[in-house]
Amino acid sequence: MDLRSLIEQYARILGPAATAERIEALVAATLDATKGEHQGVPTTNNGERVLITAYGRDRHGVLAAVTAIVSGMDCNILDVSQKILQGYFTMIMLADIQHMRGSLAELQQRLDDKSRELGVRILAQHEDLFNAMHRP
């Protein structure tokens, strides 16, 4: 399945209602439905990466909380950058999800739960989806 074509197709179908969140949800649901779990195929991700961003009012422990969730699901953190800009925390993290325990949807849910707890916004997108949504 060509992920870029799928994203573009959903964007065309949704038209003006095509938000990153809507397209991501549709693509995630499609990928989950086609994983082949019923055939005994493991739900691993071969060489795939996820881009995680976080932003909000600066507070103690945001990077530690995100890192704990990501590493706790056996994702390998490849790169991370963070800045404090006039009292606002920003972070970008790139993680390899090849050996992740669980699904991307589960990772996103855990990060979303932590996002609400900390009062910051944390987003996780598959690298292919991020690139397709933010190309020139």
Side-chain angles (χ1 to χ4, degrees), residues 28-89:
T30 302
L31 293 175
D32 283 346
T34 60
K35 276 186 182 177
E37 289 181 357
H38 62 283
Q39 299 170 3
V41 177
T43 59
T44 58
N45 303 288
N46 296 326
E48 295 179 357
R49 302 188 312 181
V50 65
L51 189 71
I52 301 167
T53 57
Y55 58 90
R57 287 270 217 212
D58 185 29
R59 63 173 292 161
H60 181 74
V62 176
L63 180 59
V66 172
T67 302
I69 291 169
V70 172
S71 64
M73 291 185 69
D74 287 338
C75 301
N76 184 27
I77 298 170
L78 301 172
D79 200 0
V80 65
S81 173
Q82 74 165 9
K83 292 280 185 197
I84 308 299
L85 303 169
Q86 298 183 6
Y88 289 92
F89 172 85

Side-chain angles (χ1 to χ4, degrees), residues 118-130:
L118 295 174
V120 297
R121 184 77 168 119
I122 305 171
L123 303 169
Q125 287 184 310
H126 190 281
E127 182 181 37
D128 290 344
L129 179 59
F130 181 87

